[in-house]
Amino acid sequence: MSIANQPLLELKNITKRFKDLTAVNGVNLTVASGEKLVIIGPSGSGKSTLLRSINMLEEIEEGTINFEGREVGYVLRNGKRHPDRPQAISALRAEIGMVFQHFHLFPHMTVLGNVMEGPLTVQRKTADEARSIAIDILEKVGLSDKRDVFPATLSGGQKQRVAIARALAMRPKLMLFDEPTSALDPELVGEVFDTIHTLADEGMTMIIVTHHMGFARELADRVIFMESGSFLAQGTPEELFSIAHDNERIRGFLNRLL
Amino acid sequence: MRYNIGRVLLALLFLWMMTGNCLGAVDYDHLFRQSSDLMAQGDLDGALALLKKVPTPAPGEDAGAFVSSRMQAARIHASQKAPDKAIADCQEVLTLFPDNSEARNFVAALKEQAKPAWHTVLSDTIRFLPSLAKGALTTLLLVLCTMLVSPLGGLLVALGRISTLRPISGLCWLIIWFFRGTPLLLQLFFIYYGLPSLGITMSPLAAAVLGLGLNYSAYLGEIIRGAIQSIDHGQMEAAKAIGMSYGQAMRRIIIPQTYKRLMPPIGNEFIALIKDTALVSTIAMVELMRAADQLFNTYFNITALALAAVIYLLLTTIFTFIFEKIEYRAGIYEHR
Ligand SMILES: Nc1ncnc2c1ncn2[C@@H]1O[C@H](COP(=O)(O)OP(=O)(O)OP(=O)(O)O)[C@@H](O)[C@H]1O
Ligand SMILES: [Mg+2]
């Protein structure tokens, strides 16, 4: 297999348990470079846990993660699985951007400071380099005028765009969005979707957890329906809707959304 | 009969001479006893009148009774709140005996009393201030050293407590448990008097800073740990998600956000610290409390203690003001 055809991300048999509860149950997933994946499913089905397992915010009990053809995150020592060295895990995370439902902007830093922080502290770029990267990206998400204010003064939509900019400043190869619009007032959802759309058009590989089916249909190459820690169905948006026609569970879920 | 009359006259003459002798020259004991009795009965004026009967002695004559009577009169006048008359009594003695120390001291004391109260307080203040100021500087030095050391120590034990490495978190728990659980006074004694028996000797200043530093590190450690753990967990995740290490996330993201909420409780601790420095007076350090105590014990003068209280209040007020400013600055991103 040539490098070009190699999947960017490959999950094999990912299993994550919280005590007795199996949040993610033997998931297999291959994501090609440039692919846009949308994951839907009822609350508690394990969507967030799966996303968080990819960048090691959750430690999985079983399975392997391959990123750019390399197995990452865990090492075998004396026949037992352990998380890899902290430096290796940080290096992996630096290549995977993540956007949270509740933004988690750094409140003590200005908008510019938030976006500069990754290049400055993690990539150890000079302040001038970091600033010029941050200025470019803020322009892309349309927040140049908010550069010097603190996050507390921003609207929800603006906060989420800053959070996206903060992730993009690291020039990630993969973006993970966990319900990026769920905490927003309905009238602010559009600006965040537009930003994500622009990113998609530029060829960014992304996995998005969302409840907005319209957005999923418009953007997704593939939609996955997740339930009880497993993938119940997947396909193009059209395929999924036709599957939903026959599957009571999926149909019920989609009807409740629409 | 004539014979009889002559004898009677003779006897009367003798008696007259006897009483004359008594009043005129030698025996004042009776008079002093009488005046004491009158004083005891509350008849001060009567006592004074009797005392005035003791005449000014001629040169060369015994002056003991004269001096005693005038000094007694002066005391009575002083008790009658008539300092001018009391001073006049003393002056009578001093015109004859300019060196009489009893009269001089009494005049000095009367003149001192005659001054207004603020004058006394002012002169005491001027007298006490140099040694109190010196003590206050030592207190300030102790406070500043501890303020420098204890936040660092506190941060270390706080990070240790939340560490996932059991030995480290256990050790830090133990440190906090011990230093918060025993009296500071005992810790100071142990460091200054106990450690030398283990071959570790140090100056009172070093012992004081070590004791205060450890004690306050333990308290601040719990405060800092609480503040760190009160920061939304999402902050740590967001920091990790862009590739930060635990240390980078702590240093750049988590700890800076604790400053604002740390200032009120730390300010409180530091106010307590200013007053707790008084305890190091027990390990041979002359700080403000010890200086005031020494003055009080030397002069039996409460002004020294009052001045110490004023200086403590001044210090706590200044630091309260500074902490409030820092708190405002630390949280400025929330106001804008
Ligand atoms: N840290 C945790 N400790 C214990 N249980 C957890 C933890 N995180 C998640 N879970 C449980 O794992 C299951 C999957 O949770 P997850 O958050 O992944 O669901 P989700 O699909 O993202 O749901 P939602 O749509 O509500 O965000 C849930 O039952 C949840 O209660
Ligand atoms: Mg979720």
Side-chain angles (χ1 to χ4, degrees):
Chain A
M1 204 206 289
S2 74
I3 300 288
N5 297 334
Q6 194 177 57
L8 179 68
L9 179 73
E10 200 172 5
L11 307 180
K12 286 182 202 145
N13 193 32
I14 300 289
T15 298
K16 170 67 192 175
R17 297 187 192 92
F18 295 107
K19 298 209 174 84
D20 307 342
L21 183 118
T22 306
V24 177
N25 192 2
V27 160
N28 292 294
L29 176 66
T30 304
V31 182
S33 203
E35 193 176 8
K36 290 101 185 73
L37 200 71
V38 168
I39 302 179
I40 60 173
S43 182
S45 56
K47 307 179 297 292
S48 297
T49 307
L50 178 63
L51 278 198
R52 293 159 55 79
S53 299
I54 294 172
N55 71 352
M56 305 279 303
L57 287 178
E58 300 287 356
E59 192 180 319
I60 54 174
E61 274 76 37
E62 285 168 40
T64 55
I65 304 168
N66 282 288
F67 190 72
E68 295 186 300
R70 266 181 311 118
E71 192 173 327
V72 293
Y74 299 88
V75 289
L76 279 177
R77 229 180 289 137
N78 306 327
K80 270 187 77 183
R81 237 170 60 108
H82 295 277
D84 204 347
R85 293 172 302 114
Q87 297 91 314
I89 292 173
S90 292
L92 174 70
R93 287 175 180 149
E95 300 199 84
I96 302 176
M98 184 154 194
V99 173
F100 302 86
Q101 181 176 352
H102 294 288
F103 332 127
H104 300 323
L105 292 181
F106 306 137
H108 58 303
M109 295 176 174
T110 62
V111 165
L112 191 70
N114 268 271
V115 182
M116 282 171 67
E117 188 56 21
L120 197 65
T121 302
V122 179
Q123 296 174 333
R124 300 197 179 286
K125 292 203 155 66
T126 67
D128 285 343
E129 285 175 303
R131 183 174 294 107
S132 82
I133 291 171
I135 286 173
D136 285 351
I137 289 174
L138 279 174
E139 193 171 340
K140 197 157 110 184
V141 300
L143 286 172
S144 292
D145 54 330
K146 296 292 182 185
R147 222 179 263 175
D148 298 319
V149 305
F150 286 98
T153 62
L154 299 177
S155 73
Q158 291 168 331
K159 283 181 187 166
Q160 196 58 298
R161 280 146 69 200
V162 174
I164 294 170
R166 178 177 67 185
L168 290 180
M170 294 295 290
R171 306 252 176 259
K173 293 169 177 149
L174 170 67
M175 284 287 288
L176 308 174
F177 294 89
D178 191 2
E179 303 197 32
T181 58
S182 295
L184 300 180
D185 291 341
E187 72 271 20
L188 300 176
V189 169
E191 61 185 78
V192 173
F193 276 153
D194 287 348
T195 306
I196 297 174
H197 220 132
T198 314
L199 208 58
D201 291 345
E202 288 172 3
M204 177 66 78
T205 314
M206 48 179 78
I207 306 177
I208 307 165
V209 173
T210 183
H211 289 298
H212 287 266
M213 284 315 298
F215 181 63
R217 185 182 282 175
E218 192 181 312
L219 187 96
D221 298 319
R222 183 157 48 125
V223 180
I224 295 174
F225 182 84
M226 195 168 175
E227 195 181 63
S228 307
S230 311
F231 292 169
L232 205 66
Q234 56 179 300
T236 62
E238 289 72 28
E239 282 168 352
L240 201 81
F241 278 105
S242 73
I243 295 170
H245 198 72
D246 304 326
N247 186 311
E248 178 121 18
R249 304 279 281 280
I250 304 175
R251 196 173 62 225
F253 175 76
L254 291 182
N255 283 344
R256 255 176 284 121
L257 282 186
L258 297 173
Chain B
M1 244 346 236
R2 191 177 283 174
Y3 171 77
N4 273 347
I5 288 169
R7 282 190 141 191
V8 168
L9 282 174
L10 230 126
L12 279 174
L13 181 74
F14 177 73
L15 271 174
W16 180 80
M17 284 176 66
M18 286 292 289
T19 45
N21 274 349
C22 257
L23 285 174
V26 202
D27 184 16
Y28 292 108
D29 286 355
H30 183 64
L31 184 144
F32 280 118
R33 221 172 300 124
Q34 259 185 310
S35 82
S36 295
D37 289 345
L38 287 176
M39 276 174 67
Q41 289 160 21
D43 183 4
L44 296 179
D45 290 330
L48 278 171
L50 272 179
L51 291 167
K52 287 289 182 192
K53 283 188 180 166
V54 182
T56 309
E61 218 175 335
D62 176 37
F66 166 74
V67 172
S68 301
S69 72
R70 293 306 183 271
M71 290 314 297
Q72 182 68 6
R75 277 190 285 275
I76 292 173
H77 277 134
S79 79
Q80 285 179 324
K81 301 269 181 297
D84 295 344
K85 289 180 183 167
I87 289 173
D89 294 331
C90 294
Q91 291 300 348
E92 277 190 61
V93 176
L94 289 173
T95 42
L96 284 185
F97 309 104
D99 294 332
N100 184 296
S101 62
E102 192 187 0
R104 292 178 74 164
N105 287 345
F106 204 64
V107 169
L110 285 167
K111 285 188 173 163
E112 187 68 29
Q113 273 177 20
K115 286 179 191 164
W118 64 263
H119 193 282
T120 325
V121 172
L122 191 72
S123 65
D124 285 347
T125 303
I126 291 166
R127 188 149 47 116
F128 297 154
L129 217 48
S131 42
L132 287 178
K134 222 173 131 204
L137 276 182
T138 307
T139 292
L140 194 62
L141 179 71
L142 278 170
V143 167
L144 290 177
C145 285
T146 312
M147 280 184 184
L148 215 69
V149 168
S150 59
L152 296 175
L155 182 60
L156 280 182
V157 286
L159 292 174
R161 276 274 273 139
I162 57 182
S163 162
T164 48
L165 297 173
R166 294 293 298 168
I168 291 181
S169 65
L171 178 72
C172 289
W173 182 88
L174 211 66
I175 290 172
I176 291 170
W177 173 74
F178 179 80
F179 285 100
R180 286 204 315 173
T182 55
L184 174 57
L185 192 60
L186 189 144
Q187 295 161 20
L188 289 169
F189 276 18
F190 181 78
I191 291 169
Y192 189 64
Y193 299 114
L195 285 188
S197 65
L198 303 175
I200 306 167
T201 47
M202 55 185 92
S203 68
L205 179 68
V209 172
L210 184 66
L212 288 169
L214 282 170
N215 191 265
Y216 275 85
S217 293
Y219 276 97
L220 296 194
E222 282 300 86
I223 292 172
I224 294 171
R225 179 179 67 91
I228 288 176
Q229 289 179 333
S230 78
I231 302 295
D232 177 14
H233 195 63
Q235 291 291 310
M236 178 56 93
E237 299 213 320
K240 284 182 172 173
I242 57 171
M244 283 195 188
S245 68
Y246 179 81
Q248 286 171 332
M250 273 292 168
R251 190 166 46 80
R252 299 279 304 172
I253 307 300
I254 307 297
I255 291 170
Q257 288 183 54
T258 65
Y259 294 158
K260 183 190 160 64
R261 50 189 92 177
L262 275 179
M263 280 324 288
I266 286 191
N268 247 352
E269 289 298 322
F270 283 169
I271 298 300
L273 164 68
I274 293 173
K275 295 170 294 166
D276 268 356
T277 55
L279 286 175
V280 309
S281 60
T282 55
I283 56 167
M285 279 212 80
V286 186
E287 40 60 71
L288 181 52
M289 185 63 223
R290 181 67 172 277
D293 190 41
Q294 283 175 347
L295 291 172
F296 179 67
N297 281 323
T298 313
Y299 298 98
F300 294 104
N301 188 322
I302 200 159
T303 307
L305 300 182
L307 281 172
V310 170
I311 298 176
Y312 276 117
L313 279 172
L314 201 70
L315 287 176
T316 51
T317 308
I318 292 171
F319 278 107
T320 306
F321 181 76
I322 294 174
F323 297 145
E324 276 170 7
K325 276 268 177 286
I326 297 176
E327 182 192 342
Y328 178 80
R329 293 290 299 267
I332 207 131
Y333 56 85
E334 288 169 11
H335 314 300
R336 277 191 195 158

